[in-house]
Amino acid sequence: MSQPTAGSSEMGHPGFRHLPYRPYVPGVGPEEGSRRFLEVMRQRRSVRFFSDRPVSEETIRNLIAAAGTSPSGANKQPWRFVAIRDAEVKRQIRVAAEEEEREFYARRATPEWLADLAPLGTDPSKPFLENAPWVIAVFKLMRTDADERGEQAQVYYVNESVGIATGILIAGIHQAGLVTLTHTPSPMGFLSTVLERAAHERPFLLLPVGYPAEWATVPDISRKELGQILEIR
Ligand code: IYR
């Protein structure tokens, strides 16, 4: 490819600095690199049963920092991660989540929804919110954090941005040899109260993180065939 001409749109908006991109070179070609990644990701499962074996704060910091590399609308990085190890806070979250979940399973869920969940074996009981050594609460920012003058600005594509960051986080948890599951108690307003969040922070989902219990099982489910999810044109 030829170099873009100075001042062209390919160089970015004039006055905004661009730097040379330093490519990531995995040392194997893209076929091998993608095959290895697929092999790793195929082994990821949502696990609901955790060991009490501790996970270091350093691990959590690395994982959240990795999630923070996510692309986001206009690079606004509209996310906040609250990593909870305090047993009492985890207990409060469990109690509140189970209250909502009892309502969900008894009344809010449609019969079709309950039938769809049956193979997963989920129910209103959420012991993993207390058993996992860490619970990461992911929040989306509906406005930016205040700047020095106390002003907040607009954010863009918040669900996409936080969803992508969460995907990277889940992949990182797996890469670290740990397990998680996405728990989305609905409604999640209690998380704002329990975790004392500011008004512009809205709960997105919960990720308990830890080692799997030795006796952990997972539902016998399968992924779609590639032909069902990919169309090449
Ligand atoms: N939030 C409930 C229900 C639930 C919903 C879906 I969609 C799942 O894939 C799993 C569970 C719960 O966490 O139990």
Side-chain angles (χ1 to χ4, degrees):
M1 282 291 283
S2 60
Q3 287 244 343
T5 30
S8 79
S9 64
E10 288 168 75
M11 290 287 282
H13 198 281
F16 289 87
R17 198 160 72 113
H18 272 215
L19 300 168
Y21 173 63
R22 285 180 214 292
Y24 165 63
V25 184
V28 293
E31 292 84 4
E32 179 62 13
S34 57
R35 197 192 56 72
R36 287 184 190 178
F37 183 64
L38 172 60
E39 184 117 316
V40 172
M41 291 312 292
R42 271 206 176 126
Q43 296 174 60
R44 190 205 60 79
R45 296 295 309 263
S46 290
V47 173
R48 295 182 164 72
F49 309 104
F50 289 82
S51 154
D52 58 8
R53 184 173 165 191
V55 168
S56 71
E57 180 178 324
E58 181 185 352
T59 306
I60 298 300
R61 295 180 76 89
N62 287 338
L63 291 169
I64 303 293
T69 67
S70 172
S72 63
N75 191 35
K76 295 290 180 180
Q77 306 167 61
W79 42 65
R80 178 153 290 105
F81 303 90
V82 180
I84 304 139
R85 63 174 157 204
D86 185 283
E88 172 55 21
V89 178
K90 284 194 287 181
R91 195 192 60 79
Q92 286 175 23
I93 290 174
R94 177 184 178 178
V95 167
E98 288 183 339
E99 206 166 298
E100 298 294 5
E101 292 298 294
R102 275 194 296 276
E103 217 13 64
F104 171 83
Y105 283 92
R107 271 172 287 279
R108 276 199 289 265
T110 59
E112 185 179 358
W113 196 341
L114 291 176
D116 278 340
L117 292 179
L120 305 180
T122 62
D123 62 34
S125 165
K126 304 297 173 192
F128 50 73
L129 292 175
E130 271 190 287
N131 300 344
W134 293 89
V135 174
I136 300 175
V138 183
F139 290 83
K140 54 183 179 182
L141 306 191
M142 308 310 287
R143 306 275 294 163
T144 63
D145 288 325
D147 63 15
E148 321 74 63
R149 297 191 313 255
E151 272 160 38
Q152 293 182 292
Q154 218 177 315
V155 287
Y156 310 94
Y157 298 102
V158 169
N159 286 315
E160 292 84 347
S161 303
V162 183
I164 295 165
T166 301
I168 293 175
L169 178 52
I170 291 168
I173 290 166
H174 176 63
Q175 176 72 27
L178 304 172
V179 295
T180 186
L181 70 129
T182 52
H183 177 42
T184 50
S186 166
M188 287 190 278
F190 68 88
L191 288 172
S192 302
T193 324
V194 173
L195 299 174
E196 303 172 304
R197 304 323 305 165
H200 69 300
E201 300 174 61
R202 192 144 315 155
F204 189 68
L205 51 74
L206 289 174
L207 295 172
V209 180
Y211 289 91
E214 274 169 46
W215 46 268
T217 58
V218 291
D220 182 14
I221 53 173
S222 57
R223 307 291 185 212
K224 288 182 181 176
E225 295 296 325
L226 186 57
Q228 296 175 279
I229 64 168
L230 169 67
E231 179 181 320
I232 293 181
R233 310 186 48 139

